[in-house]
Amino acid sequence: NLRALRDELDQARRAGLLGEQLARFASRRLRQSQERLQLTQMLRDVLLQRGRETQARGVQLKQVLQPVEVLADASLLFTLLNTVLDWALACARSQIEFRVELKSWPAHGRLSCRFVHRPLDELDDGAPADAPAASSLDSLTWRLLQQTALAMGLRVERHDEATTTLLALEFPRTISEQMEG
């Protein structure tokens, strides 16, 4: 009983912190310091720092990462990457795949995150096969992810299918060799 109470208190504390962060982003009074950042390396660092947590949850991380450099606020990008991982860990059932790539036209960096949010054997639970478990996907963490990306001027796409979810974040302020040459 004590463990259950502690878990509920932790969830309430986390919800309070998420609410504060959401209010901060919604106020639009953020001062951002744009700098050249290695998106790929920052993502690797976040995944490495949180490796024990992902292993403890039994989630495998797959990484397909091309080098991409973006102009962004370092603390906001770090917050965004951690929030993407928090959201994916809360929803994923087995493996999370992260991709970082450079779109050719326009030359924008793209971070994508794909995971299974509902095993195939749960499709027989009476819910329509094309209906994802939206309540777990549309959490406070998801709202924080959206607001952080909006504050950074990123394009956010999310596609939910019966068993999988794909999140894609597009970075319009990408540094590419074509832009510098």
Side-chain angles (χ1 to χ4, degrees):
N1 287 341
L2 190 55
R3 178 177 286 157
L5 178 60
R6 187 175 61 205
D7 289 345
E8 287 181 28
L9 287 172
D10 286 343
Q11 288 176 355
R13 184 177 324 123
R14 175 112 174 104
L17 290 171
L18 288 173
E20 286 177 19
Q21 288 179 304
L22 280 168
R24 186 175 138 230
F25 289 128
S27 73
R28 307 260 191 257
R29 286 181 271 175
L30 293 174
R31 287 191 172 209
Q32 296 186 45
S33 174
Q34 302 292 314
E35 54 188 290
R36 291 175 79 136
L37 301 169
Q38 296 291 332
L39 174 61
T40 306
Q41 190 57 50
M42 282 190 79
L43 178 61
R44 279 189 183 123
D45 292 346
V46 167
L47 297 178
L48 184 63
Q49 288 173 3
R50 310 261 318 262
R52 279 196 182 144
E53 180 183 353
T54 59
Q55 287 177 351
R57 293 182 186 213
V59 174
Q60 293 180 333
L61 296 177
K62 181 179 177 185
Q63 302 173 43
V64 181
L65 309 175
Q66 295 176 359
V68 172
E69 189 175 23
V70 297
L71 281 176
D73 182 273
S75 64
L76 279 181
L77 182 57
F78 183 75
T79 297
L80 177 70
L81 296 175
N82 273 288
T83 304
V84 169
L85 184 58
D86 286 342
W87 177 68
L89 282 173
C91 300
R93 300 295 181 138
S94 56
Q95 176 178 294
I96 303 170
E97 178 184 288
F98 286 97
R99 286 184 178 270
V100 174
E101 57 198 351
L102 186 63
K103 283 180 38 180
S104 59
W105 185 254
H108 289 172
R110 181 178 169 101
L111 166 67
S112 61
C113 174
R114 179 187 302 270
F115 56 87
V116 172
H117 61 79
R118 186 169 153 192
L120 284 172
D121 59 354
E122 285 185 13
L123 289 181
D124 296 332
D125 64 3
D130 60 347
S135 60
S136 63
L137 295 171
D138 293 333
S139 63
L140 274 177
T141 306
W142 167 250
R143 299 296 175 214
L144 178 61
L145 190 162
Q146 283 181 307
Q147 288 300 312
T148 307
L150 180 65
M152 294 175 70
L154 307 182
R155 182 171 175 220
V156 179
E157 293 179 27
R158 185 178 113 187
H159 301 284
D160 300 325
E161 296 177 2
T163 59
T164 60
T165 293
L166 171 65
L167 166 69
L169 300 171
E170 194 171 302
F171 292 78
R173 301 192 69 199
T174 300
I175 315 250
S176 72
E177 293 172 8
Q178 296 134 350
M179 296 169 105
E180 294 178 348

